[in-house]
Amino acid sequence: MDEHNRPIHTFQVCHVMEPNQNNWLRTNWIPRQAAQKIYVELRFTLRDCNSIPWVSGTCKETFNLLYFETDEPHGATAHFHTNDYAKIDTIAADESFTQTDLGDRVLRLNTEVREVGPIARKGFYLAFQDVGACIALVSVRVYYKKCPSTLRNLAAFPDTVPRVDSSSLVEVRGACVENAEERDTPRLYCGADGDWLVPLGRCVCSIGYEEIFITCSVCGPGFYKAFAGNIKCSKCPPHSSSHTEGSAQCHCEKNYYRASKDPPTTACTRPPSSPRNLVFNINETALFLEWTPPSDTGGRKDVSYNVFCFRCGADGQACEACNSNVRFVPKPTGLTSTSVVVQDFVAHVNYTFQIEALNGVSGLGRSERQLANITVSTEQAGPSLVGVVRKDWASQTSIALSWQETEQPHAAILDYEIKYYEKEQEQLSYSSTRTKSPSVIVTGLKPSTVYAFHVRARTLAGYSSYSPKFEFTTGDESKSFSKNASFQYLLVLVIVTATVGGFSLLIILTLFLLITVPFPGLKTYIDPDTYEDPSQAVHEFAKEIDPSRIRIERVIGAGEFGEVCSGRLRIPGKKEIPVAIKTLKGGYTERQRRDFLREASIMGQFDNPNIIRLEGVVTKSRPVMIVVEYMENGSLDSFLRKHDGHFTVIQLVGMLRGIASGMMYLSDIGYVHRDLAARNILVDDNLVCKVSDFGLSRVLEDDPEAAYTTTGGKIPIRWTAPEAIAYRKFSSASDAWSYGIVMWEVMSYGERPYWEMSNQDVILSIEEGYRLPAPMGCPVALHQLMLLCWQKERSRRPQFNDVVSFLDKLIRNPSSLLTLVEDVNSFPESPEDMPDYPLFISIGDWLDSIKMSQYKNNFIAAGYTTLDSISTMTIDDVRRIGVSLIGHQRRIVSSIQALRLQFLHVQQSGFHV
Ligand code: ACK
């Protein structure tokens, strides 16, 4: 009975009472099949000998398992030779049963498994030898292990029997499933326990098939798969279809094509439509043809153009192909741009040009040629009066352009028209603007966008032809300002804000000027005082000139140390040059000589077109001389006074630019001037301004403007920054303050800064926030630059390189100088906006302060009784109330502007006046 109490068949033996038992049981012949190693599982019960009385010598508790390999069965009747059998193992029971178990009907079943192998013959027998135990053999299971057939990576692997040696694997190649192909040979390894290990390689579904589960399924109609691989079937691309299953590609619809190099995955395309908007521009030497791309590119990006040229009769008929003299730049065929320049055409002839649009599928099928035609008479050739158009700067929404007129002496240009459009829009629509000067700022543009510009000039004879197209891009919103860009932006602000008259500009200007970085100096200035022997410094930096080469012609002025003369210098191998000669008068002390030559030691280190050039010194004979380049117009302050009102704003800005450039050079090499003033600038006959008068402390001793300060130094108060006056903190930033004063001197044609105010009053009013007002006729942009130079906080003043680039932009955009301070009317909106500010309590105080007290009655008689009431007065109003002297009119109007600007300055600097 089994454990469930069901009857079972067993083989039993229980001869435990008799000695020397040798009982055999043998299986039938078992075919080996693919097995190399077999497993035998035995289930049996065994009686505990101790539980049987009187069997102690004869009872056993084990039996033997044996096998015998043969290639064929021996037949049922064949003799059974126990010697043929090899022992596999002695089998003992883990569980043996007793009488009690029997009584209790408990089945103590044992299961034992033994491996046998390698087995080579075709089959084998198993045998069981009993030597005196009480056993019941319940079942015998004989089996072998294999790796079962499987599908992996779209490859099929067959049943595989492992090696007998359990440490080596069987490598098995897989076969791709139907409609799949090998990528890398698919392989698996069969392990000893019948497990598949280490999958390698794979198969992929063939063209027209895709993987679904572990098979390759065909692509349906309307789908295709062009490549074998792990990809899905795709829908047919536009203008193509597939009608059958398993398509490798989709076929183009009627009138659509694929070029030979188009991959089968691309959409089918068609030839383009004709080019559009074909226009021409002609001048004496060049015919400029331009068009816009076809409205239908056929779905392709490889549109190109061919140009055909025909020379036609007067009626536009009887055309024949142009001869080879006519040239096309860059080429007549295969153009990828939408323009071409035609050259070497014949004058007074009608030409017809055809522009053909082509793409990669033109010429496939029977499509018609797509042409645009234009007829041009070379009679129309008018000169283009505009040369290369340059971009001066760009902001996010504006681009400033300038160009040069081409040489056309007989064509006086009235104005220019600028046509522009977004390049992407390709002339679908365009805007235009006009300007009288050869520069323009185009506003209202989109950021980071490419625009195309054409410029043409208008003369009395009508319009010239347009310039060729010039493409420029507006600024990028995301980019932070570069140093240069900040100035460009600042310039836009100057222009835009000056136009609308906003005072907030000054604050913005200030912010941008804060973004300044010093230029690395190329060479460094060496203070001659650091030489033990000052004459050594002179000889290091200044050439000794033989006095026989100097010819003194005239005395032109008197210096601290002696006369200043003009004359000529002969340099061997060069032509004579005009020079100024500073002399040291006789009877000098050694200290005077040293101080005199000190200037040469300094000047000799400089090499810049805006710094007075030292030609050399005469030290070895008397008189001692310093020879410098001659400046025809002498010092700037007297020169301007002599030519009051004679120059254009641009000329004045040009002078300021020169001075700033010289100062930039000095600050770059680390030289602080300390006495920058118009009287120390010299002017040549081309209005080039050069910085002169070097020598540090000596300069100040020498300068009649220099006054003693409380700290004991001698300082030109009106030109000097407050920190230099207060504690002798001289720096390039204090030079920048002085430069602002020079700007004011220049723009007022040599007016004395702060007029007749005493030095003490100047110091106090500066401390209280007062700044010089803009001189009459001064552009807003320049006065604002002055105010920036006069910032109390010296680190906030512009550096000279900033000033130079700012002035350069103004020069390039003269329209930015058109807004004058007197045009800007931006008084605070309401009295509450005014801080407890006015500098003057009454009209009388104010007129006293500007030394115009004599006009008090004129103001009062005309009804101007409060400071508020004068704020909007113009020069005409001032004239009308009886101020007839021009100089007085100017002073009064300047001061009124100052009142307005002071308000702004107070707000901006936080000064409390
Ligand atoms: O105002 P000015 O004519 O210009 O008078 C003074 C005078 O000499 C005394 O300094 C003139 N001066 C100085 N250096 C030069 C120079 N390099 N070229 C021409 N004039 C000069 C200055």
Side-chain angles (χ1 to χ4, degrees):
M1 292 296 191
D2 70 6
E3 59 268 47
H4 304 295
N5 225 8
R6 285 177 305 213
I8 48 172
H9 294 266
T10 64
F11 294 91
Q12 299 187 29
V13 64
C14 196
H15 301 304
V16 289
M17 311 286 270
E18 296 140 51
N20 304 322
Q21 291 296 308
N22 188 18
N23 308 304
W24 288 74
L25 175 68
R26 192 203 68 182
T27 65
N28 293 332
W29 187 77
I30 304 169
R32 177 174 66 89
Q33 301 178 8
Q36 297 188 19
K37 185 195 230 179
I38 56 165
Y39 296 81
V40 181
E41 181 200 82
L42 305 172
R43 290 164 78 225
F44 62 95
T45 62
L46 199 143
R47 175 84 185 252
D48 179 359
C49 288
N50 290 332
S51 69
I52 312 170
W54 310 298
V55 294
S56 57
T58 51
C59 179
K60 301 286 184 311
E61 291 183 349
T62 60
F63 64 95
N64 295 321
L65 173 64
L66 304 97
Y67 79 111
F68 171 39
E69 283 187 75
T70 63
D71 280 329
E72 53 195 23
H74 288 163
T77 55
H79 191 71
F80 178 28
H81 296 284
T82 56
N83 291 344
D84 295 338
Y85 284 77
K87 184 170 163 184
I88 297 171
D89 203 1
T90 299
I91 311 290
D94 293 331
E95 304 263 1
S96 51
F97 67 92
T98 62
Q99 192 63 42
T100 326
D101 294 327
L102 275 177
D104 294 348
R105 310 192 70 81
V106 175
L107 186 70
R108 295 199 180 269
L109 193 61
N110 295 280
T111 303
E112 295 287 330
V113 178
R114 294 293 181 272
E115 289 176 28
V116 189
I119 299 204
R121 300 280 175 90
K122 286 191 180 145
F124 57 91
Y125 294 95
L126 290 177
F128 308 90
Q129 182 192 23
D130 166 54
V131 288
C134 187
I135 327 162
L137 191 56
V138 176
S139 72
V140 177
R141 192 162 76 93
V142 180
Y143 60 91
Y144 65 93
K145 292 185 180 175
K146 66 176 183 182
C147 295
S149 63
T150 187
L151 287 175
R152 296 271 181 100
N153 293 338
L154 293 179
F157 296 87
D159 280 345
T160 303
V161 179
R163 293 240 161 80
V164 183
D165 166 15
S166 60
S167 63
S168 70
L169 305 175
V170 183
E171 182 189 303
V172 184
R173 255 188 90 141
C176 291
V177 300
E178 224 184 324
N179 303 312
E181 50 200 66
E182 270 185 18
R183 257 308 130 81
D184 289 312
T185 308
R187 275 170 296 161
L188 277 178
Y189 290 86
C190 180
D193 283 332
D195 302 319
W196 287 113
L197 307 166
V198 206
L200 296 173
R202 64 193 177 114
C203 300
V204 291
C205 291
S206 305
I207 288 170
Y209 291 84
E210 66 184 341
E211 183 178 348
I212 294 181
F213 301 115
I214 40 175
T215 60
C216 290
S217 305
V218 70
C219 299
F223 288 80
Y224 75 104
K225 192 179 128 188
F227 307 103
N230 248 348
I231 46 170
K232 293 280 169 198
C233 300
S234 308
K235 254 191 136 125
C236 287
H239 306 295
S240 69
S241 58
S242 68
H243 300 293
T244 55
E245 288 188 326
S247 296
Q249 58 172 286
C250 302
H251 297 285
C252 291
E253 290 167 9
K254 197 164 174 240
N255 297 329
Y256 283 85
Y257 312 93
R258 284 198 186 98
S260 57
K261 286 188 182 146
D262 288 352
T265 49
T266 53
C268 296
T269 52
R270 60 180 174 182
S273 58
S274 56
R276 294 169 303 148
N277 306 328
L278 175 56
V279 290
F280 71 92
N281 254 311
I282 189 163
N283 67 27
E284 286 142 341
T285 55
L287 167 61
F288 186 75
L289 292 174
E290 195 184 20
W291 58 92
T292 50
S295 56
D296 176 10
T297 61
R300 303 184 65 88
K301 291 205 167 84
D302 57 353
V303 177
S304 64
Y305 307 95
N306 291 339
V307 185
F308 301 103
C309 171
F310 301 93
R311 194 175 157 167
C312 303
D315 52 356
Q317 304 290 309
C319 299
E320 58 187 42
C322 299
N323 65 22
S324 57
N325 291 346
V326 178
R327 286 192 304 123
F328 298 88
V329 179
K331 54 187 177 177
T333 55
L335 289 165
T336 49
S337 61
T338 55
S339 62
V340 70
V341 178
V342 187
Q343 290 179 331
D344 300 340
F345 49 79
V346 180
H348 310 293
V349 162
N350 285 340
Y351 283 98
T352 293
F353 293 96
Q354 292 182 334
I355 311 293
E356 180 184 24
L358 299 157
N359 67 14
V361 294
S362 294
L364 298 177
R366 280 181 294 135
S367 48
E368 280 178 19
R369 294 171 71 197
Q370 298 297 321
L371 299 165
N373 289 287
I374 198 163
T375 299
V376 179
S377 164
T378 50
E379 309 275 8
Q380 298 164 9
S384 169
L385 302 182
V386 175
V388 174
V389 177
R390 283 182 302 121
K391 177 171 95 169
D392 292 330
W393 52 262
S395 71
Q396 287 170 30
T397 55
S398 320
I399 292 181
L401 305 174
S402 60
W403 53 90
Q404 279 184 334
E405 298 162 12
T406 52
E407 291 283 306
Q408 291 293 332
H410 49 275
I413 290 171
L414 302 175
D415 57 13
Y416 296 93
E417 185 189 47
I418 301 93
K419 175 172 94 168
Y420 59 97
Y421 49 90
E422 266 179 64
K423 193 195 166 203
E424 285 287 294
Q425 303 288 315
E426 282 295 357
Q427 264 187 313
L428 284 177
S429 68
Y430 64 81
S431 309
S432 67
T433 182
R434 283 170 189 284
T435 172
K436 281 198 189 309
S437 60
S439 63
V440 71
I441 298 168
V442 182
T443 56
L445 306 178
K446 291 187 196 160
S448 309
T449 306
V450 183
Y451 283 88
F453 297 88
H454 302 265
V455 182
R456 65 177 176 174
R458 190 165 65 93
T459 65
L460 282 173
Y463 281 108
S464 74
S465 59
Y466 274 114
S467 69
K469 179 164 70 178
F470 292 90
E471 291 178 4
F472 302 114
T473 310
T474 45
D476 182 347
E477 277 167 303
S478 62
K479 270 189 203 140
S480 62
F481 285 105
S482 71
K483 187 174 164 53
N484 224 350
S486 72
F487 247 95
Q488 290 172 355
Y489 192 59
L490 178 146
L491 185 68
V492 180
L493 286 172
V494 168
I495 294 153
V496 173
T497 319
T499 315
V500 298
F503 274 168
S504 56
L505 172 64
L506 189 54
I507 294 157
I508 298 164
L509 278 172
T510 311
L511 287 177
F512 277 103
L513 282 170
L514 284 176
I515 317 166
T516 53
V517 187
F519 274 149
L522 294 176
K523 90 183 189 194
T524 312
Y525 160 74
I526 300 164
D527 184 351
D529 286 348
T530 59
Y531 283 74
E532 252 177 49
D533 173 10
S535 62
Q536 195 195 334
V538 178
H539 290 120
E540 185 153 330
F541 298 122
K543 260 189 299 188
E544 181 72 28
I545 297 177
D546 183 340
S548 66
R549 292 204 275 112
I550 301 169
R551 196 174 72 235
I552 294 180
E553 287 174 337
R554 284 178 294 120
V555 175
I556 52 174
E560 161 94 349
F561 295 96
E563 285 91 5
V564 179
C565 308
S566 66
R568 305 237 141 212
L569 173 68
R570 267 185 297 108
I571 304 173
K574 285 193 191 160
K575 68 177 201 233
E576 257 189 359
I577 56 161
V579 287
I581 305 135
K582 294 187 174 191
T583 58
L584 176 64
K585 56 174 177 270
Y588 54 82
T589 64
E590 190 46 41
R591 191 197 151 128
Q592 281 172 322
R593 180 180 189 271
R594 202 180 59 216
D595 285 346
F596 176 72
L597 288 175
R598 204 162 177 282
E599 179 169 30
S601 312
I602 295 169
M603 227 190 297
Q605 298 185 44
F606 304 147
D607 178 17
N608 181 272
N610 293 103
I611 307 283
I612 201 83
R613 192 182 65 248
L614 175 74
E615 296 297 346
V617 289
V618 178
T619 62
K620 301 202 167 128
S621 59
R622 303 287 147 81
V624 174
M625 293 186 260
I626 297 175
V627 182
V628 299
E629 68 178 308
Y630 183 67
M631 300 292 284
E632 290 76 0
N633 282 312
S635 52
L636 177 61
D637 60 339
S638 51
F639 172 67
L640 287 171
R641 272 181 227 124
K642 214 187 305 169
H643 300 96
D644 192 353
H646 282 189
F647 301 116
T648 62
V649 169
I650 284 285
Q651 283 175 309
L652 297 177
V653 175
M655 296 181 200
L656 291 174
R657 196 257 179 222
I659 301 165
S661 174
M663 290 308 296
M664 177 171 87
Y665 173 83
L666 293 181
S667 69
D668 282 350
I669 67 170
Y671 179 80
V672 179
H673 191 290
R674 298 181 178 217
D675 197 13
L676 178 59
R679 65 183 167 279
N680 291 331
I681 304 291
L682 291 165
V683 187
D684 74 8
D685 59 352
N686 289 318
L687 296 191
V688 175
C689 288
K690 307 200 180 193
V691 181
S692 86
D693 274 74
F694 303 96
L696 300 140
S697 55
R698 205 254 331 136
V699 168
L700 301 181
E701 298 295 330
D702 193 16
D703 190 339
E705 280 297 344
Y708 285 101
T709 63
T710 47
T711 50
K714 210 177 168 204
I715 283 174
I717 300 293
R718 284 153 216 270
W719 282 264
T720 305
E723 76 276 11
I725 296 172
Y727 51 96
R728 297 187 65 80
K729 178 70 203 160
F730 286 97
S731 61
S732 291
S734 64
D735 278 349
W737 178 292
S738 312
Y739 178 80
I741 303 290
V742 172
M743 283 185 77
W744 191 91
E745 292 185 274
V746 169
M747 298 314 293
S748 62
Y749 284 95
E751 178 74 279
R752 179 169 168 73
Y754 311 94
W755 307 282
E756 304 336 309
M757 279 166 81
S758 70
N759 277 349
Q760 202 48 38
D761 286 350
V762 169
I763 292 172
L764 279 178
S765 61
I766 290 296
E767 183 52 33
E768 287 172 356
Y770 174 79
R771 296 295 183 270
L772 282 168
M776 281 274 296
C778 177
V780 171
L782 292 176
H783 186 237
Q784 285 169 342
L785 183 55
M786 293 177 205
L787 291 172
L788 289 172
C789 292
W790 301 328
Q791 300 211 70
K792 186 182 173 71
E793 173 74 59
R794 71 173 188 280
S795 63
R796 297 174 61 148
R797 294 174 203 151
Q799 295 182 356
F800 283 108
N801 55 324
D802 298 325
V803 175
V804 171
S805 36
F806 184 59
L807 295 178
D808 279 344
K809 307 282 166 92
L810 294 183
I811 292 166
R812 260 186 257 130
N813 298 275
S815 55
S816 60
L817 292 163
L818 293 180
T819 309
L820 307 183
V821 171
E822 44 267 54
D823 300 329
V824 179
N825 264 325
S826 179
F827 223 32
E829 304 271 337
S830 74
E832 287 86 69
D833 291 340
M834 296 271 271
D836 45 336
Y837 157 62
L839 190 55
F840 310 104
I841 310 303
S842 67
I843 292 275
D845 285 347
W846 165 60
L847 288 170
D848 289 345
S849 78
I850 56 170
K851 303 244 169 354
M852 292 284 117
S853 319
Q854 65 269 39
Y855 296 113
K856 266 183 210 167
N857 290 338
N858 302 52
F859 276 83
I860 291 162
Y864 292 101
T865 51
T866 64
L867 285 173
D868 234 343
S869 63
I870 60 159
S871 66
T872 52
M873 281 183 89
T874 64
I875 195 148
D876 290 336
D877 297 329
V878 174
R879 202 177 297 129
R880 215 174 297 121
I881 66 169
V883 181
S884 50
L885 291 174
I886 285 256
H888 292 182
Q889 290 169 5
R890 278 192 189 166
R891 189 177 297 184
I892 290 167
V893 170
S894 296
S895 181
I896 291 173
Q897 288 155 7
L899 283 172
R900 289 188 204 140
L901 285 168
Q902 277 165 21
F903 167 72
L904 167 69
H905 192 72
V906 166
Q907 273 196 327
Q908 175 230 303
S909 62
F911 287 154
H912 194 83
V913 179

